[in-house]
Amino acid sequence: MMAGEMLVIEVPASTANLGPGFDSIGLALNLYLRLEVTTHDQWEVIPLSEGLMTFPTDERNYIIQVAMQTAKKYNQECPPCRLTVSSDIPIARGLGSSAAAIVAGIELADTLCDLQLTKQQKLEWATEIEGHPDNVGASLLGGLLIGSQTDDGVDALSLYHLQVDFVACIPTSELLTKKSRQVLPTELSYKQAVHAGAVGNVFIASLISGNYEQAGQMMMKDLYHQPYRKEIVPELEGVEKVAMANGALGVALSGAGPTVFCLARDGEGQKLATHLSAGLHGMQVVPLQMDLIGSRVYKENDSKIKSDVM
């Protein structure tokens, strides 16, 4: 990056799990983490959004830490920069704020150090950092991400043609993923695992075939995490009651919670959001759309978004 140039990095939010897709299904959403990057003599972060004010403003910032780790992985060193950061992704609400930061850090290192990483390389490294591919994969690739992490690497694909609306119900309280994972069982019986996997299979098949009514039903038959997490996310039951009474197709925790994610018929998202706003208290109700691009990197005033081939 030349002195005086400004680099822009935008990374979408994501919801994950979507009921039965535990740690394997993510959906990119049109809320964004945005970085404006300029060369500087030292690392500096200028937060523009209220939710970012509590994070370090020097090289201890998580985005910079990921960038430095990424550069080191490829025997490079990131030149210091000034990052002006804004975000409309709520922190610790189950909408992939940390995953977006990971992807932003990787994109930052890739550009500053001219690493020329492929999307697959970025996906595997982001998954290694995050621990699972759903959120980072969706933020990186856009669309509905179905991914699997094994010792052999990460296999993933994205779907981009869902004709359905989404509504997020976002509580004011935070819920850290670490705390939310503590309530999960360490194992399931063979019979439970087979049943849970079958629900997930039908869920994906329903989305691919456009049977969104059935997809909504499968969202609510999850056996992996929602039966356990509903104890610490009381909002789930309340949203489910109001949403299903007003035409929602399905309701599920967004990621680890506490945000609750609703599936609505195509064109009915705003109507559902209006009903939810009237019937719920202490929650922000936001109609959302699927992001189709994923992370993007470009220079200021450059209309061509940088794209990579997996």
Side-chain angles (χ1 to χ4, degrees):
M1 186 170 65
M2 301 291 291
E5 287 184 333
M6 179 182 289
L7 183 73
V8 179
I9 299 173
E10 293 179 337
V11 183
S14 57
T15 183
N17 301 332
L18 297 180
F22 186 66
D23 278 0
S24 60
I25 300 176
L27 177 72
L29 299 169
N30 63 328
L31 301 172
Y32 297 93
L33 171 66
R34 177 184 170 92
L35 279 62
E36 295 180 351
V37 185
T38 55
T39 57
H40 198 45
D41 57 357
Q42 62 184 7
W43 286 108
E44 181 184 10
V45 178
I46 301 175
L48 299 182
S49 304
E50 183 178 352
L52 304 175
M53 299 296 180
T54 59
F55 295 105
T57 56
D58 55 18
E59 65 272 7
R60 295 172 299 163
N61 187 278
Y62 189 49
I63 295 172
I64 297 174
Q65 286 291 305
V66 171
M68 294 171 69
Q69 291 171 22
T70 303
K72 184 178 180 180
K73 177 178 174 68
Y74 293 95
N75 301 311
Q76 299 287 332
E77 184 175 344
C78 282
C81 293
R82 173 182 285 136
L83 312 180
T84 302
V85 185
S86 60
S87 179
D88 46 20
I89 307 174
I91 304 296
R93 298 297 200 285
L95 287 168
S97 57
S98 63
I102 290 171
V103 172
I106 293 172
E107 295 285 20
L108 179 62
D110 181 55
T111 304
L112 293 179
C113 300
D114 194 27
L115 299 178
Q116 299 184 31
L117 301 178
T118 65
K119 287 286 190 181
Q120 181 64 31
Q121 288 175 308
K122 293 175 184 178
L123 175 62
E124 293 193 359
W125 177 229
T127 300
E128 183 175 334
I129 297 172
E130 175 78 345
H132 40 88
D134 46 359
N135 287 108
V136 291
S139 288
L140 181 66
L141 302 175
L144 180 80
L145 185 287
I146 302 102
S148 170
Q149 180 187 21
T150 67
D151 292 339
D152 295 327
V154 179
D155 296 299
L157 57 84
S158 294
L159 305 177
Y160 298 97
H161 303 291
L162 303 183
Q163 296 181 339
V164 66
D165 284 1
F166 313 102
V167 180
C169 301
I170 309 170
T172 56
S173 59
E174 295 183 355
L175 178 59
L176 298 177
T177 301
K178 182 178 179 180
K179 178 181 178 181
S180 188
R181 283 189 179 268
Q182 289 174 348
V183 302
L184 301 181
T186 57
E187 60 183 26
L188 296 177
S189 70
Y190 187 82
K191 182 178 180 180
Q192 287 175 310
V194 170
H195 187 184
V199 172
N201 292 341
V202 176
F203 175 61
I204 291 298
S206 300
L207 290 175
I208 292 173
S209 63
N211 189 338
Y212 300 118
E213 287 79 7
Q214 189 173 51
Q217 294 170 16
M218 294 301 104
M219 284 174 65
M220 301 171 68
K221 292 184 177 181
D222 162 62
L223 296 176
Y224 288 124
H225 73 116
Q226 292 185 135
Y228 311 99
R229 284 175 165 165
K230 67 181 181 181
E231 299 175 7
I232 60 172
V233 187
E235 294 89 350
L236 177 59
E237 185 175 354
V239 172
E240 182 179 311
K241 182 178 180 180
V242 177
M244 298 306 292
N246 287 281
L249 297 173
V251 176
L253 280 181
S254 180
T259 293
V260 182
F261 197 71
C262 304
L263 204 65
R265 291 177 178 84
D266 191 22
E268 295 187 7
Q270 184 59 62
K271 182 172 72 173
L272 176 61
T274 300
H275 287 302
L276 287 166
S277 295
L280 300 172
H281 302 285
M283 303 183 78
Q284 180 185 9
V285 179
V286 184
L288 295 170
Q289 295 178 340
M290 180 170 63
D291 176 275
L292 300 177
I293 298 175
S295 58
R296 61 273 286 190
V297 182
Y298 55 95
K299 294 178 182 178
E300 188 183 31
N301 299 323
D302 186 354
S303 60
K304 183 179 179 181
I305 294 176
K306 176 182 175 182
S307 61
D308 295 298
V309 179
M310 288 189 67

